[in-house]
Amino acid sequence: MEDMRALSYGLGQQYFEERDYRGAIRALAPIVEETPEDVGTRLLLARAYYHAALLKPAEEQLREVLQREPTESYAHLMMARTLERQSRADEAGKHRRIVAALTGDEDHLQPHRP
């Protein structure tokens, strides 16, 4: 079973790198269901949802990541960007302030310009 998870994760990573975000979602979602404590895979799944413009599922995955790892600065940054894309700048600001505090980089206080 571990071999299948590793294979699916590798496939999900490959799809993500090739910018086939929906393919990455198909490969990674079953892993997250099977091993919900795997924050790394869940974060990659959230990123795939974000890049596929599936913002609600991205937000859900990021909330799970942050519940398990509240000091994961990249998850806070992704959450800020996800909320900004949903026109929820006030909520995003909280996550930007957390990223700036965790990293010491005040550039994170500025909204992302795609």
Side-chain angles (χ1 to χ4, degrees):
M1 192 60 101
E2 189 68 32
D3 290 341
M4 289 302 293
R5 260 196 310 266
L7 184 62
S8 291
Y9 181 81
L11 189 58
Q13 259 189 326
Q14 181 178 345
Y15 282 137
F16 187 87
E17 289 168 7
E18 293 171 355
R19 297 182 181 196
D20 179 357
Y21 302 116
R22 292 187 185 257
I25 291 165
R26 284 190 302 275
L28 297 170
I31 300 171
V32 168
E33 281 184 33
E34 191 176 312
T35 56
E37 71 283 351
D38 183 350
V39 172
T41 301
R42 189 179 292 275
L43 186 55
L44 184 57
L45 177 60
R47 292 175 64 203
Y49 279 129
Y50 173 85
H51 287 293
L54 298 168
L55 302 177
K56 287 293 184 184
E59 181 182 345
E60 290 169 12
Q61 294 302 321
L62 289 165
R63 288 198 189 285
E64 284 292 322
V65 168
L66 292 171
Q67 182 177 347
R68 295 170 192 282
E69 296 287 335
T71 59
E72 175 55 63
S73 62
Y74 189 72
H76 282 287
L77 180 60
M78 286 300 303
M79 180 64 86
R81 289 180 177 178
T82 300
L83 293 169
E84 287 164 355
R85 284 182 70 183
Q86 296 178 73
S87 300
R88 293 162 60 192
D90 289 345
E91 292 174 74
K94 169 190 163 190
H95 293 281
R96 289 201 166 277
R97 288 188 297 278
I98 293 170
V99 173
L102 289 172
T103 64
D105 185 350
E106 291 190 11
D107 287 344
H108 290 300
L109 294 172
Q110 301 303 315
H112 178 66
R113 305 274 187 245

